[in-house]
Amino acid sequence: MTRSTLPPDFDPQLAPLLSPLEGYVPLKMTLEQLEHFRRLSHVTRDSLIGDAEVSCVDYTIPGYQGADIVVSVVARKDHVVPGPAVYLIHGGGMVMGTRFAGARPLVDWALRHDAVCVTVEYRLAPEHPAPTLVEDCYAGLTWMAAHAEMLRFDPNQLVIFGGSGGGGLAAGTTLLARDRQGPRLLGQLLQCPMLDDRNETGSAHRYEGVGVWDRTSNLTAWRAVLGDRCGGPEVSPYSAPARASDLSRLPPTFIDVGGAETFRDEAVAYAAGILAAGGECELHVWGGAFHGFYDIAPQSELARACLAARDSWLARMFARGAMGPRVP
């Protein structure tokens, strides 16, 4: 493959933000730096909820091989009527972050759509390598679906949501739900998803050493998840969904990704694979955007457009789900 030698093409509103972020974002991250970035990625319940009129209730549930994991349920304080629901798998490259990281949209969707939202504290690599991570996430999804009546949501309106490492885990959890005939999902919402352990795409090489999350950080994280299997032939598509040979029979999908980030090409390839398999997928590639731009610079024009597209898709999915069960 011919590698691009062009300089990074970041959006002019976003590019000036990168230099001040040095040391605060996991660029060129090694395993020795992981604890530093774990501390920086820690988000508390109070900082997430603030004074919003929502409740946040914890449940301890069985994860992979029966180990205890925690899920938090976010809902409007006046929630009564069953309606839409969102299951969040947080980002952080599968090696950092907590269930409250990246969960602010859950508060917004609870207030706007009266949605019941669940976020899962799956166990992280390298302490808990594959398949623990995706199996914990699947356990949380099955628990949520099985408790739809208790949580007061419509199981026909359940969307799975994840960004970055959580986007890859959401894609893997969706594949597991399909193959195990588990919970039926109304849709999957994947933001800048981390899908491919091989790290050999054009965008992985082009944006090495620049941006927010690069090829070095990606290799560090994937090796933590997969160990010696990373990049080899024996990698499960549930842990690295880019490895999936069958992308048929998936729920309607939304994928977006920065046009100037490591995950660009694998996200585009995954969307193309869903479409080629006869599925429904809405794809957005945000030109000039680095990884996580919508969280880092939410007031930028690019981020506002990104978030509007995401929220529009979700509202359309909820409206579709409210029309009743889908035909198999």
Side-chain angles (χ1 to χ4, degrees), residues 27-234:
L27 184 67
K28 298 184 281 189
M29 183 185 72
T30 64
L31 200 59
E32 291 72 25
Q33 297 171 308
L34 180 55
E35 286 304 320
H36 167 72
F37 288 111
R38 280 181 171 177
R39 289 192 295 271
L40 291 179
S41 67
H42 184 77
V43 177
T44 67
R45 182 194 310 269
D46 289 343
S47 63
L48 171 68
I49 302 299
D51 59 358
E53 288 297 308
V54 298
S55 61
C56 182
V57 180
D58 293 344
Y59 295 87
T60 299
I61 69 168
Y64 181 51
Q65 297 182 331
D68 285 347
I69 60 173
V70 176
V71 296
S72 293
V73 180
V74 177
R76 257 176 26 186
K77 289 183 177 179
D78 62 352
H79 175 73
V80 176
V81 179
V86 177
Y87 179 65
L88 169 66
I89 302 175
H90 73 79
M94 298 185 278
V95 295
M96 68 185 84
T98 72
R99 67 189 183 279
F100 300 123
R104 182 63 200 186
L106 302 189
V107 175
D108 296 338
W109 295 334
L111 294 171
R112 186 183 314 167
H113 300 292
D114 197 14
V116 172
C117 304
V118 172
T119 180
V120 59
E121 194 74 65
Y122 61 89
R123 288 168 287 173
L124 301 173
E127 294 87 348
H128 302 281
T132 298
L133 300 94
V134 72
E135 291 287 358
D136 276 354
C137 294
Y138 182 71
L141 177 67
T142 57
W143 178 88
M144 183 180 182
H147 291 81
E149 184 174 357
M150 179 189 81
L151 299 176
R152 298 197 299 269
F153 72 86
D154 179 355
N156 294 309
Q157 296 190 69
L158 175 55
V159 171
I160 192 169
F161 167 47
S164 191
L169 287 169
T173 300
T174 300
L175 291 170
L176 279 174
R178 178 197 67 182
D179 294 345
R180 294 178 179 174
Q181 299 182 326
R184 295 188 61 187
L185 293 165
L186 176 64
Q188 60 172 338
L189 199 171
L190 313 177
Q191 289 206 276
C192 54
M194 179 180 174
L195 301 164
D196 196 342
D197 63 295
R198 292 164 292 195
N199 293 287
E200 290 298 338
T201 65
S203 59
H205 282 273
R206 180 170 184 184
Y207 299 105
E208 185 168 7
V210 295
V212 168
W213 178 270
D214 70 336
R215 187 168 181 265
T216 297
S217 301
N218 212 34
L219 286 167
T220 296
W222 276 117
R223 286 169 179 160
V225 172
L226 297 172
D228 292 341
R229 289 172 291 159
C230 182
E234 303 299 325

